[in-house]
């Protein structure tokens, strides 16, 4: 891979900025200054230093975000997207949200450029459970738990959802566990039972749990362990 691409992928700067740094002699490969942006570097073999700091190549980026309401889970939109909330150093990396949350839903969004992992997490066949916290406008009942277990028929789509779990916390609050991600799924499942969702937050995707230290709109990269656990699932 070209050294300018390597450094820009690792968030050192735009391709243009990085070319400049290289020409000015800020970049060492195996302790030799190189000044050609086209220089070919072997990602997992050569030792690359920028400003005397080693820059290790990571093929993929994984970020968890606590999405606030009012932000769209897409890469581009007329309105603010989750990508707009990321620092500029993440903007050239083809990162996208793995699964969507509604504009008025808060909570965990995984942002990555690892298409295979994203696909696996979203596929209903892979049985990855997504956990939500929901507040509703009507009293939850034991019978609702059974309805969830049996799967809920979504009228306008004529679709019976996979069995899901409802864990009632209080009269108007519950955790919902689903393996699919149909449009407005949690809201539609609850509204079929006569309960409108007034607040929704995603808490987890498989083994990945939203970090409670992240305020709304904040994000952080996943730890190596979090990535490994997701891949194993
Ligand atoms: N289900 C919904 O209804 N909305 C979301 O944002 C996510 C799941």
């Amino acid at each position: 891979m070209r050294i300018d691409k390597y450094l820009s992928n690792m968030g050192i700067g735009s391709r243009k900025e990085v070319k400049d740094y290289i020409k000015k002699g800020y970049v060492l490969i195996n302790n030799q200054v190189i000044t050609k942006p086209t220089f070919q570097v072997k990602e997992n073999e050569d030792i690359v230093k920028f400003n005397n700091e080693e820059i290790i190549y990571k093929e993929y980026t994984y970020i968890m975000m606590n999405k606030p309401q009012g932000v769209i889970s897409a890469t581009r939109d007329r309105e603010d997207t989750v990508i707009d909330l990321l620092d500029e150093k993440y903007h050239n990396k083809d990162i996208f949200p793995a699964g969507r949350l509604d504009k008025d839903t808060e909570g965990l969004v995984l942002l990555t450029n690892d298409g295979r992992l994203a696909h696996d997490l979203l596929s209903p066949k892979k049985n990855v459970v997504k956990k939500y916290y929901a507040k509703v406008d009507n009293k939850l009942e034991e019978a609702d738990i059974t309805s969830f277990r049996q799967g809920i028929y979504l009228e306008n789509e004529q679709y019976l959802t996979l069995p899901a779990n409802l864990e009632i916390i209080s009269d108007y609050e519950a955790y919902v566990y689903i393996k699919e991600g149909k449009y407005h799924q949690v809201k539609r499942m609850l509204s079929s039972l006569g309960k409108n969702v007034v607040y929704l937050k995603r808490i987890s995707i498989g083994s990945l749990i939203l970090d409670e230290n992240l305020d709304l709109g904040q994000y952080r990269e996943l730890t190596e362990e979090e990535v490994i656990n997701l891949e194993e699932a």
Side-chain angles (χ1 to χ4, degrees), residues 86-117:
L86 297 178
D87 187 278
E88 222 171 284
K89 73 175 183 180
Y90 293 113
H91 284 185
N92 294 323
K93 289 174 171 253
D94 298 327
I95 288 172
F96 60 93
R100 290 179 172 228
L101 289 183
D102 297 335
K103 187 175 172 184
D104 62 356
T105 302
E106 292 178 358
L108 177 61
V109 175
L110 173 66
L111 296 146
T112 185
N113 44 12
D114 181 346
R116 194 194 49 79
L117 182 78

Side-chain angles (χ1 to χ4, degrees), residues 30-135:
N30 304 326
N31 285 325
Q32 301 277 353
V33 174
I34 56 102
T35 51
K36 280 209 177 96
T38 54
F39 190 95
Q40 290 290 324
V41 58
K42 294 184 204 83
E43 290 97 84
N44 298 312
E45 234 171 87
D46 291 333
I47 295 177
V48 176
K49 286 187 183 164
F50 169 68
N51 241 347
N52 272 329
E53 199 186 310
E54 187 171 347
I55 308 295
I56 295 170
Y57 196 79
K58 282 193 290 170
E59 191 173 7
Y60 298 121
T61 301
Y62 306 89
I63 293 168
M64 70 156 81
M65 177 183 285
N66 187 2
K67 182 184 107 53
Q69 294 185 12
V71 173
I72 314 282
S73 301
T75 45
R76 271 170 193 220
D77 200 276
R78 271 173 289 130
E79 300 179 66
D80 278 351
T81 71
V82 284
I83 301 294
D84 296 327
L85 294 182
L86 297 178
D87 187 278
E88 222 171 284
K89 73 175 183 180
Y90 293 113
H91 284 185
N92 294 323
K93 289 174 171 253
D94 298 327
I95 288 172
F96 60 93
R100 290 179 172 228
L101 289 183
D102 297 335
K103 187 175 172 184
D104 62 356
T105 302
E106 292 178 358
L108 177 61
V109 175
L110 173 66
L111 296 146
T112 185
N113 44 12
D114 181 346
R116 194 194 49 79
L117 182 78
H119 174 268
D120 284 356
L121 293 176
L122 298 177
S123 164
K125 288 193 200 111
K126 300 281 178 179
N127 282 329
V128 177
V129 176
K130 289 97 187 170
K131 177 179 179 183
Y132 294 85
Y133 165 81
K135 273 191 198 167

